[in-house]
Amino acid sequence: MPQQDHPPKTRTRNGCVNCRKSRVKCDGKEPSCTRCWQKGWECSREKMTLKWESDYHSRGLAFGREGRWGKSAAAKRKGRTISPEEQTWCPSNTVYPWGFLHQNVSSLRWLYDDERTPGQPSSMDISLLVPRVDGMEMAENSLSCYSPPLFPHPQGQKQAIMVEYFIDQVCPRTTASPSIASPFISVILPFCLNGSQGLVALQALAACYWSQSNPEHASDAVKLKSQVLGELRRRISTDPSYAISPDPEILVLIMMLSLYDIVDRCDKGWVVHLQGAKDIIRLRRRHLSDQTQCPVTAFAELFFAFQDVMGRTACAKADLFGPSFWDQNDRRVNSWMGCSPELVSILFAILDLSRTRPHINSDLDQEVEFSMKAASLNARLRDLGQVLPDPENRALHAVADLKRLACTIYLHCALYNAGPSTPIIRGLVRQILQQLSTLLKENLVVNATWAIFVAAVELDPADEENWQDPVTGDFVDGRALILRSLATMANSTISSVARVRSIIETVWLSRDSDLAAGSSRPQLSRYNDWEWYVVPLSDALSLV
């Protein structure tokens, strides 16, 4: 082959339009190449265009540098098929259903869209989800805003499913009204997505709740719970108290473990977590001079204090958190609690006063003081007016009123020795049953475990009032309506409805047995009706 007098010309990537059309090498000078400048032409460069391989093949053309290519005449451009032996595939990462290319915070905006169905979240601090690099917040719309997957291979898919179940199934069951966003999704979920063990605790709770209807998730729930519990124990045993108490993640982990035990068996395990939370909160308030709370800590403290009050009304044990958590002048209904802080403050005072009643002897001064305090609480409860954040929210209004009626029943039973046959108790129980019958008939499910429990255990077995069953349409007695309410509520709450129902049925059996024997609780006993029938059965019962 004869030697070339000069090296072959090579292509350039920045040639102008005129040189490309003439198939002449362009020197690429700016703002005009030499050739265009000499000829007086306008020098311009084309922008990059996308070329599709299928279009070239459909016209019988080679795509890009397929086949052979060269400038010399001997090397004609010919396309050929590459055999499978010559093909080399580059490895690629597995694409999961939750993965996004260049994902950023906007990928999760659908979770907090105001147009979502009732019971789904409506608002949230989106900035909590924006990835951070070297302490600096990344631009939301930047293509470089790629965050690593929350659920890495190989367990990522199962973990993602648990988080989705928590959002879609667990969170809507933690509110007093299906049209209100749960703080578990507006406050706790964003925090857990940024935490290490918080996300695992969230998945453990979801798996535990799911296992109640699908036992195949039970093993996953136990494994996840063990992982969270092990990390919590490690931190408590190794980290100093001044480092543990200010960390909101500690309270979140304890809260999730408490809910896990409530959903699982509702035994004394959740009370142990409650006691641990009390110690953490006490240390936090001792070490931090600034009492300003983040939303996560504020909700966690509210959760534990409310669980403590509502549960101890049943078992009549001493409180753990005290009255400082409740503002007796705040009549605004809390959407998560389903009542106002003032109502909880009154309930706490009733519980505290009832524990002093058995210790009153024949001392007249003590009896007068007790009677005056009881009358004061009765007057506060009678004059209570709870203010709803949304007056049109029928479900929240119903829950708040049911808890007010139940609190009145509890006051008369705990402080005035009233029982199911007492006229005022019979009237209050009928009011609660009337509201339940109406709500069930309208298919308006209400999360009111405590109110239903109080009305059920103080329902007079001799009461022959009939109520219409919303499902069958038949007229049934009060007990059947209570059971229908519990069955309906079992699908709308994460409380331990099974244990609540078990205690209610045991109380009914005891009352029926005493009624058949022609007797009731011993008249000479120092216990009132509530302490005789309810308290012995209700240790470690959650009624939130």
Side-chain angles (χ1 to χ4, degrees):
M1 181 176 180
Q3 296 290 331
Q4 294 181 346
D5 297 333
H6 55 82
K9 295 181 180 180
T10 58
R11 290 177 175 244
T12 60
R13 295 182 178 273
N14 58 344
C16 69
V17 174
N18 295 324
C19 293
R20 284 179 178 272
K21 288 182 178 179
S22 302
R23 299 182 180 276
V24 176
K25 181 178 180 181
C26 181
D27 58 13
K29 290 185 178 181
E30 297 285 350
S32 177
C33 70
T34 303
R35 184 167 177 267
C36 289
W37 177 77
Q38 290 175 347
K39 295 182 178 294
W41 296 341
E42 181 182 355
C43 186
S44 62
R45 288 164 175 77
E46 290 182 341
K47 296 182 179 179
M48 182 181 294
T49 58
L50 295 177
K51 298 180 180 180
W52 305 100
E53 182 179 2
S54 57
D55 293 339
Y56 278 73
H57 288 174
S58 64
R59 291 182 288 168
L61 301 177
F63 179 73
R65 296 185 179 181
E66 288 180 341
R68 299 176 181 177
W69 178 89
K71 289 290 290 185
S72 64
K76 299 296 183 180
R77 182 173 181 175
K78 297 179 180 179
R80 71 181 183 87
T81 304
I82 302 176
S83 64
E85 292 76 12
E86 297 177 284
Q87 296 178 359
T88 302
W89 293 93
C90 298
S92 61
N93 295 328
T94 305
V95 179
Y96 293 101
W98 60 87
F100 299 92
L101 179 64
H102 298 311
Q103 71 177 14
N104 53 38
V105 65
S106 61
S107 304
L108 299 178
R109 284 195 183 279
W110 67 272
L111 290 175
Y112 315 102
D113 190 352
D114 290 336
E115 299 299 324
R116 293 205 67 181
T117 56
Q120 299 301 321
S122 59
S123 63
M124 163 184 173
D125 184 5
I126 297 292
S127 62
L128 293 175
L129 296 178
V130 178
R132 297 174 181 270
V133 177
D134 296 330
M136 299 182 64
E137 186 168 318
M138 300 175 66
E140 176 180 327
N141 296 320
S142 171
L143 287 179
S144 62
C145 183
Y146 177 82
S147 57
L150 294 170
F151 318 107
H153 181 80
Q155 295 297 325
Q157 187 171 7
K158 182 177 293 186
Q159 294 169 352
I161 291 174
M162 289 303 171
V163 174
E164 182 179 358
Y165 189 86
F166 178 84
I167 295 172
D168 293 338
Q169 301 296 328
V170 178
C171 290
R173 290 172 167 82
T174 58
T175 58
S177 170
S179 61
I180 297 176
S182 167
F184 281 92
I185 202 168
S186 61
V187 178
I188 301 303
L189 176 62
F191 179 83
C192 290
L193 290 178
N194 287 278
S196 56
Q197 289 300 309
L199 188 61
V200 181
L202 179 150
Q203 296 167 34
L205 175 59
C208 180
Y209 184 76
W210 202 349
S211 67
Q212 305 303 306
S213 57
N214 190 348
E216 72 177 32
H217 297 292
S219 60
D220 293 328
V222 174
K223 292 176 183 177
L224 292 168
K225 178 190 176 183
S226 299
Q227 181 178 341
V228 176
L229 197 56
E231 176 63 17
L232 183 62
R233 287 173 175 171
R234 185 196 65 78
R235 292 193 60 181
I236 292 176
S237 60
T238 58
D239 295 350
S241 60
Y242 63 81
I244 294 177
S245 55
D247 188 358
E249 186 178 38
I250 298 296
L251 290 180
V252 170
L253 296 183
I254 297 176
M255 180 169 58
M256 291 297 182
L257 290 172
S258 299
L259 282 173
Y260 184 105
D261 287 342
I262 290 172
V263 171
D264 189 20
R265 288 178 294 181
C266 197
D267 56 9
K268 294 183 179 180
W270 77 271
V271 179
V272 174
H273 296 309
L274 199 70
Q275 294 170 340
K278 181 202 70 172
D279 295 336
I280 295 294
I281 294 172
R282 176 176 53 83
L283 289 173
R284 180 186 180 279
R285 295 191 171 190
R286 178 189 301 175
H287 291 146
L288 295 182
S289 57
D290 183 10
Q291 294 299 319
T292 303
Q293 293 181 330
C294 68
V296 176
T297 303
F299 174 70
E301 291 190 2
L302 177 69
F303 171 87
F304 292 120
F306 191 57
Q307 285 279 4
D308 182 49
V309 173
M310 305 307 287
R312 292 182 188 280
T313 56
C315 64
K317 289 188 175 180
D319 63 278
L320 292 175
F321 287 83
S324 62
F325 290 86
W326 311 110
D327 184 356
Q328 62 180 2
N329 297 317
D330 189 355
R331 295 190 170 187
R332 295 171 299 176
V333 174
N334 181 282
S335 300
W336 173 72
M337 295 192 305
C339 61
S340 64
E342 183 177 4
L343 178 63
V344 184
S345 174
I346 295 173
L347 183 59
F348 181 91
I350 296 172
L351 172 63
D352 191 44
L353 184 61
S354 68
R355 296 183 64 255
T356 66
R357 187 194 57 80
H359 305 290
I360 297 178
N361 299 321
S362 57
D363 189 335
L364 182 61
D365 292 337
Q366 290 182 347
E367 293 180 357
V368 171
E369 182 181 4
F370 180 88
S371 299
M372 292 179 62
K373 290 182 178 179
S376 175
L377 291 173
N378 193 14
R380 285 180 60 192
L381 189 57
R382 185 176 59 251
D383 298 336
L384 175 64
Q386 302 186 89
V387 181
L388 294 170
D390 179 11
E392 301 298 325
N393 193 322
R394 174 77 188 284
L396 186 59
H397 180 273
V399 172
D401 194 49
L402 287 173
K403 290 186 176 181
R404 180 188 61 82
L405 293 172
C407 188
T408 307
I409 293 175
Y410 180 72
L411 181 145
H412 284 275
C413 291
L415 303 183
Y416 292 114
N417 297 334
S421 60
T422 306
I424 190 172
I425 300 299
R426 288 170 63 95
L428 290 169
V429 170
R430 287 177 177 176
Q431 288 185 51
I432 292 179
L433 294 181
Q434 177 64 55
Q435 289 199 32
L436 287 176
S437 176
T438 303
L439 293 171
L440 291 173
K441 191 181 302 181
E442 297 176 0
N443 198 25
L444 186 60
V445 179
V446 178
N447 190 347
T449 308
W450 184 71
I452 295 176
F453 176 81
V454 172
V457 296
E458 291 300 327
L459 176 63
D460 189 358
D463 192 340
E464 299 180 353
E465 184 78 22
N466 287 328
W467 312 90
Q468 187 174 13
D469 189 297
V471 177
T472 64
D474 300 333
F475 284 92
V476 296
D477 60 10
R479 290 185 176 183
L481 184 64
I482 290 290
L483 295 179
R484 174 67 69 186
S485 301
L486 291 175
T488 303
M489 198 176 62
N491 298 321
S492 64
T493 179
I494 61 172
S495 300
S496 182
V497 176
R499 187 173 179 220
V500 170
R501 173 170 178 161
S502 175
I503 294 175
I504 290 173
E505 292 176 343
T506 303
V507 171
W508 288 347
L509 288 173
S510 298
R511 292 192 187 279
D512 290 345
S513 178
D514 291 342
L515 188 63
S519 63
S520 60
R521 65 180 179 85
Q523 298 298 322
L524 299 179
S525 173
R526 63 189 181 94
Y527 301 109
N528 58 33
D529 180 86
W530 186 276
E531 294 166 341
W532 182 262
Y533 286 103
V534 182
V535 170
L537 306 172
S538 305
D539 190 26
L541 177 64
S542 172
L543 290 171
V544 173

